[in-house]
Amino acid sequence: MSQLKNEIENEDPKIRMDNLLAGKKDRRRSSATKEFHGNYLRLENKKNIQNMMKKNRDSRIVFCDTIAKINKRNKVQERVLLITNRNIYNLDPSSYKLLRKIEINKLTSITMSTLPDNFFVLCVRDEYDYLIVSSRKTEILSCIIDCCKRLSHIVEIRFMDNFNYRITEGVRRELRFRLTNEGVSTQLFQRQKQKQKKSNN
């Protein structure tokens, strides 16, 4: 375990992400020059954050920044995304009240397009998925990969321009990306929950 920890700490996260995304995802020019700072909002001294982390046995904040999430009604909501060594938290940006907790061990995959956009989906076992928009998506992905390695948890990284994700129990939404003259076009199509067939018995 100590050898793995040393490998992670000695690994340059930007080089690792360049290698991971090369040939799989187009990136904006500015993406290559962005520095990774992790804890942008510095919330570790807030009492409610300390209590939340203590309750969930978190030892440190690895990433914290304001992001946008797309809810099940297709509405854009500003949120704070706080990632620790064990959990991913969705916080209210005004009060920092906890709105959702995702255990990193419950992540099954992270899905994004092959195009230069800022969307990605966290797919969660036995829960609804989480659609996020952030200009720091590469850094967020790097932080989650680090945490998964330390927890010996495998999460699949998927690149596709047309995919479904779960917004509620039994309801999925289709997300389509395409390149236009104006940039990347993103379209959302909801697939309604299928009604169970009545038994003839």
Side-chain angles (χ1 to χ4, degrees):
M1 188 67 181
S2 59
Q3 182 179 354
L4 174 61
K5 182 179 179 181
N6 290 334
E7 289 177 359
I8 294 171
E9 291 176 348
N10 293 330
E11 188 178 22
D12 187 319
K14 293 197 67 176
I15 294 176
R16 179 187 58 215
M17 296 311 297
D18 287 344
N19 292 336
L20 175 65
L21 300 177
K24 298 176 182 176
K25 185 170 180 67
D26 293 337
R27 302 170 70 186
R28 295 185 174 96
R29 291 180 180 177
S30 60
S31 181
T33 59
K34 280 184 179 176
E35 296 294 329
F36 289 0
H37 298 292
N39 191 3
Y40 293 90
L41 302 184
R42 311 302 303 183
L43 301 181
E44 60 269 23
N45 292 325
K46 291 192 172 296
K47 191 64 177 177
N48 64 323
I49 300 298
Q50 292 176 350
N51 291 339
M52 177 186 75
M53 291 179 63
K54 182 178 180 180
K55 177 182 178 181
N56 294 297
R57 297 185 297 151
D58 299 305
S59 61
R60 63 192 181 96
I61 296 173
V62 297
F63 182 87
C64 186
D65 194 21
T66 303
I67 53 96
K69 66 159 284 195
I70 312 297
N71 70 13
K72 63 182 180 181
R73 298 178 183 84
N74 278 357
K75 301 295 183 182
V76 179
Q77 298 174 310
E78 184 179 285
R79 292 287 184 262
V80 168
L81 183 73
L82 189 150
I83 303 174
T84 69
N85 57 303
R86 300 174 63 92
N87 297 291
I88 298 171
Y89 298 99
N90 171 13
L91 307 176
D92 180 273
S94 299
S95 64
Y96 303 120
K97 177 182 177 182
L98 176 62
L99 301 175
R100 183 183 182 189
K101 182 190 81 169
I102 299 172
E103 295 176 23
I104 289 176
N105 276 332
K106 284 191 172 184
L107 287 179
T108 58
S109 63
I110 302 172
T111 308
M112 61 186 70
S113 80
T114 66
L115 302 175
D117 61 90
N118 290 326
F119 289 77
F120 63 99
V121 174
L122 302 181
C123 299
V124 188
R125 184 178 71 249
D126 301 326
E127 298 180 29
Y128 64 90
D129 300 329
Y130 194 29
L131 175 57
I132 299 173
V133 186
S134 173
S135 61
R136 302 191 195 277
K137 65 185 179 304
T138 303
E139 183 175 1
I140 294 171
L141 180 59
S142 175
C143 289
I144 293 175
I145 289 173
D146 275 353
C147 293
C148 287
K149 284 185 176 181
R150 293 175 189 273
L151 295 169
S152 300
H153 176 66
I154 297 174
V155 61
E156 181 183 7
I157 312 298
R158 306 188 302 168
F159 302 89
M160 53 188 70
D161 296 334
N162 189 341
F163 58 86
N164 297 321
Y165 68 100
R166 180 169 48 191
I167 58 173
T168 60
E169 181 63 33
V171 181
R172 304 186 72 83
R173 181 172 288 150
E174 183 179 2
L175 194 53
R176 297 179 188 174
F177 300 86
R178 64 186 180 91
L179 196 59
T180 69
N181 292 332
E182 290 74 33
V184 179
S185 168
T186 306
Q187 295 177 297
L188 295 166
F189 301 90
Q190 185 159 317
R191 294 188 170 185
Q192 296 295 332
K193 183 176 181 179
Q194 292 183 345
K195 296 181 178 179
Q196 293 183 346
K197 293 182 179 180
K198 292 183 177 179
S199 174
N200 293 326
N201 298 332

